[in-house]
Amino acid sequence: MSVRVRYAPSPTGLQHIGGVRTALFNYFFAKSQGGDFILRIEDTDRERYSDESLQDLYDTFSWLGIEWDEGPDKGGEYGPYVQSERFDMYREYADKLIAEGKAYKCYCTPERLEALRTEQQKDKKAHQGYDRHCRDLTPEQQAEYEKQGIKPVVRFKIPLDGKTVFHDVLLGDVKRKNSDISPDPVLLKSDGFPTYHLANIIDDHHMNITHIMRAQEWLPSGPLHILLYQAFEWDPPTYCHLPMVMGKDGQKLSKRHGSTSLRDFIAKGYLPEAIINYISLIGWAYDDSREFFDKADLEKLFVLEKLNKAPGVFDYKKLDWFNGQYIRKLSDEELKAKIIPYLQDSGNVDNPPSEAQDAMLNGLIPIVKERLKLLSDIVPMTAFLFSDISGYPAEDLIPKKKDAASTLEILKLGRPLIEKMAELGPDGEAQDEALEAAFKALSEESGFKLGELLSPLRVAVTGSRVSPPLFASIRLLGLKTALERIDEAVKKLE
Ligand code: GLU
Ligand code: ZN
């Protein structure tokens, strides 16, 4: 039987990095096995449903370049792929379970259930959860409730004794005493809508899903799902609950740790290649050393045997490092196309860029490529080219362990070398080398370290202690402006 796996998000929020990893693992597993990857929308929770999150799902996966073989937008022979379009089927199956004595109608009002909860909270030792009040109603009692017009929910009969066991590819045998499973979960709500459990099981069965790969937080639902498969007399799929995604502090990854929605990562200027590569390594490793994988590699190499049991840690710094690596792999043209939108958003570059801006961009790419971690870094990194920088504090000019007087001296020593940079050689590397030699000579002569000579000039020209290479920055800015800025710095110190 060929592998069929699914990603089954509920459109109730933006695509979370953990969900994206679940999708990627399913996708890569399907591809490595020559199987199919299916998208199914689990929109049974109509209160939390939002169009925006559905759109976000499509946008983010198209950005990643991940395509499903079957799904709402693609079609396929097992559709519809949206649960709200399959409601009739769920009701029929709930009725079937009732007819077979495996499920029952519960007429308890929300008020009764609330009172029950309050009661149970007072007495911690008491049995928690639904008290099976309606499990064995007589037909007369049922008729009485019906007469009162109460709309029932349908509950599943969890066996009162025995245990449920299932095998998880990663975790081994998972056992649960049936008496420990929360009693008699709702399958169908009073408005006729199915709950997650019912719809999920029915769809996985009817869509011929062979493997369930999902986050470990769904593990507690496993025994109930197995009991449902047994009740329907269907073979359950193979289970593989994926290792958790944690923050560095060992807590479940959340907003406290940083961005968690893929949309945020996209806005900050991560590349899809970096996201795919890094995320695939959370809880999975090909071997002890290899770090770089592109989509095509993973489509071949991803196997379940190499999943980790232990939770994976989401390391933002490592992701940034990967992103920098992938930025360096872009051609100058590709990088230019990717950074232009950021510069346009910040108002620094016109849409489309003017001729002068275009020339500036061409000069910019080679000097920033080695330094960018995120595409959005381009804005602060090049702000000095586009806007007034004079607002920096005078102290920033002063190198460590120096004072204002010696910094003034430094600026006055350095300025003439900058002023005649054009005489030292043609724009580019040759000029850089000549300038470096000149500054080294100045360092020996003056007793100031090379860094001490360059740092105040860097702050004077760019307004910041970190910038692209100084001499190239001056060429891009224009010598005249650079010298004016050095003079302003001198005034600031005086
Ligand atoms: N709709 C569920 C979710 O949002 C699917 C869980 C599962 O894969 O069974 O995560
Ligand atoms: Zn009841």
Side-chain angles (χ1 to χ4, degrees):
M1 194 166 41
S2 100
V3 163
R4 288 176 58 80
V5 293
R6 55 28 172 209
Y7 180 46
S10 302
T12 55
L14 301 179
Q15 284 298 303
H16 186 279
I17 213 73
V20 173
R21 192 201 53 168
T22 298
L24 289 178
F25 281 10
N26 275 283
Y27 171 83
F28 288 130
F29 176 62
K31 295 301 124 184
S32 74
Q33 306 300 305
D36 288 322
F37 173 60
I38 290 114
L39 174 72
R40 182 175 72 226
I41 305 298
E42 301 210 324
D43 59 344
T44 53
D45 186 344
R46 299 310 291 178
E47 269 159 41
R48 290 175 58 220
Y49 170 88
S50 88
D51 280 332
E52 187 202 356
S53 61
L54 195 59
Q55 192 54 50
D56 178 71
L57 167 78
Y58 287 118
D59 293 347
T60 49
F61 279 82
S62 112
W63 179 84
L64 283 169
I66 298 291
E67 278 186 42
W68 28 89
D69 301 292
E70 299 163 28
D73 53 337
K74 276 264 159 89
E77 52 177 304
Y78 298 89
Y81 294 90
V82 179
Q83 289 189 325
S84 56
E85 294 169 23
R86 302 167 69 85
F87 277 1
D88 290 345
M89 178 153 77
Y90 309 132
R91 207 164 309 139
E92 281 161 29
Y93 276 104
D95 287 342
K96 183 167 182 284
L97 289 183
I98 295 176
E100 293 172 359
K102 295 168 180 169
Y104 60 92
K105 290 184 181 171
C106 159
Y107 297 89
C108 293
T109 57
E111 293 74 34
R112 173 171 191 276
L113 295 174
E114 185 52 44
L116 181 64
R117 239 186 319 263
T118 319
E119 192 67 20
Q120 288 177 345
Q121 265 157 12
K122 268 190 245 151
D123 182 2
K124 285 271 181 309
K125 269 190 260 116
H127 165 85
Q128 303 286 317
Y130 179 59
D131 60 358
R132 304 189 182 92
H133 175 268
C134 305
R135 184 157 161 146
D136 298 303
L137 293 181
T138 62
E140 292 72 33
Q141 288 170 312
Q142 286 199 352
E144 180 55 33
Y145 282 123
E146 295 282 343
K147 227 172 49 202
Q148 292 172 25
I150 300 177
K151 288 236 176 319
V153 303
V154 176
R155 290 186 184 270
F156 181 59
K157 280 188 188 169
I158 299 282
L160 300 177
D161 42 36
K163 62 174 188 255
T164 300
V165 184
F166 69 97
H167 186 76
D168 183 284
V169 174
L170 187 61
L171 306 173
D173 281 345
V174 179
K175 295 189 197 78
R176 193 92 179 267
K177 280 208 267 174
N178 290 335
S179 55
D180 287 344
I181 301 176
S182 176
D184 298 4
V186 174
L187 300 179
L188 214 60
K189 298 176 226 170
S190 57
D191 55 9
F193 283 24
T195 57
Y196 154 74
H197 304 292
L198 181 69
N200 187 268
I201 293 311
I202 292 176
D203 287 349
D204 283 340
H205 175 73
H206 282 89
M207 294 180 179
N208 264 337
I209 299 302
T210 58
H211 294 71
I212 306 291
M213 295 164 67
R214 62 182 172 199
Q216 236 169 68
E217 62 202 61
W218 294 103
L219 188 63
S221 299
L224 166 61
H225 291 186
I226 293 294
L227 287 169
L228 281 166
Y229 278 104
Q230 289 168 359
F232 287 123
E233 295 172 29
W234 295 335
D235 287 333
T238 300
Y239 283 93
C240 178
H241 287 91
L242 301 170
M244 303 275 274
V245 182
M246 306 288 206
K248 274 205 142 163
D249 56 0
Q251 303 292 314
K252 199 179 152 198
L253 190 71
S254 75
K255 290 214 178 86
R256 281 185 302 113
H257 298 102
S259 301
T260 54
S261 70
L262 186 52
R263 186 194 275 189
D264 283 353
F265 285 97
I266 298 173
K268 285 189 182 153
Y270 289 88
L271 301 178
E273 294 81 0
I275 295 278
I276 288 178
N277 193 152
Y278 180 64
I279 288 188
S280 301
L281 297 175
I282 304 175
W284 184 87
Y286 179 66
D287 60 21
D288 293 343
S289 53
R290 180 166 169 187
E291 286 194 301
F292 284 97
F293 298 89
D294 64 20
K295 190 166 149 258
D297 295 329
L298 292 160
E299 286 175 6
K300 286 200 284 286
L301 301 176
F302 189 89
V303 286
L304 299 185
E305 288 72 24
K306 305 215 162 169
L307 282 170
N308 268 327
K309 260 189 219 177
V313 173
F314 193 94
D315 180 347
Y316 288 86
K317 285 222 176 80
K318 185 76 194 211
L319 172 62
D320 287 357
W321 178 82
F322 267 109
N323 206 56
Q325 298 298 312
Y326 278 99
I327 285 178
R328 322 268 184 272
K329 288 186 200 206
L330 297 174
S331 70
D332 288 0
E333 271 311 301
E334 287 168 328
L335 181 56
K336 182 176 161 191
K338 287 186 192 292
I339 60 167
I340 284 178
Y342 290 91
L343 292 170
Q344 285 170 338
D345 276 357
S346 68
N348 289 339
V349 164
D350 303 336
N351 190 1
S354 69
E355 231 170 89
Q357 288 169 342
D358 196 62
M360 156 101 77
L361 285 166
N362 291 337
L364 195 61
I365 300 300
I367 70 166
V368 294
K369 201 188 216 176
E370 292 298 317
R371 297 180 179 225
L372 289 175
K373 281 201 185 105
L374 309 182
L375 295 172
S376 59
D377 290 346
I378 193 69
V379 175
M381 199 179 275
T382 60
F384 72 95
L385 293 171
F386 302 102
S387 39
D388 173 58
I389 51 118
S390 59
Y392 64 86
E395 303 83 73
D396 283 6
L397 289 162
I398 304 172
K400 267 200 207 105
K401 295 193 201 140
K402 293 279 165 262
D403 55 17
S406 52
T407 307
L408 263 177
E409 201 187 332
I410 287 171
L411 286 172
K412 285 176 182 165
L413 285 169
R415 191 187 187 285
L417 296 187
I418 299 290
E419 193 171 4
K420 58 174 201 216
M421 67 193 265
E423 294 159 33
L424 293 174
D427 278 10
E429 254 170 66
Q431 197 177 73
D432 283 352
E433 276 164 28
L435 270 165
E436 261 160 50
F439 271 94
K440 268 194 197 125
L442 178 62
S443 164
E444 268 158 39
E445 228 171 82
S446 65
F448 290 114
K449 293 188 198 123
L450 190 59
E452 291 167 351
L453 288 173
L454 294 177
S455 167
L457 288 168
R458 180 187 303 280
V459 177
V461 172
T462 69
S464 165
R465 285 185 175 141
V466 278
S467 80
L470 176 60
F471 306 138
S473 298
I474 293 174
R475 285 194 292 268
L476 276 179
L477 180 66
L479 185 57
K480 186 168 162 277
T481 312
L483 291 173
E484 282 165 13
R485 288 186 180 180
I486 295 171
D487 296 338
E488 275 164 34
V490 168
K491 268 188 226 135
K492 233 186 218 275
L493 283 171
E494 283 168 351

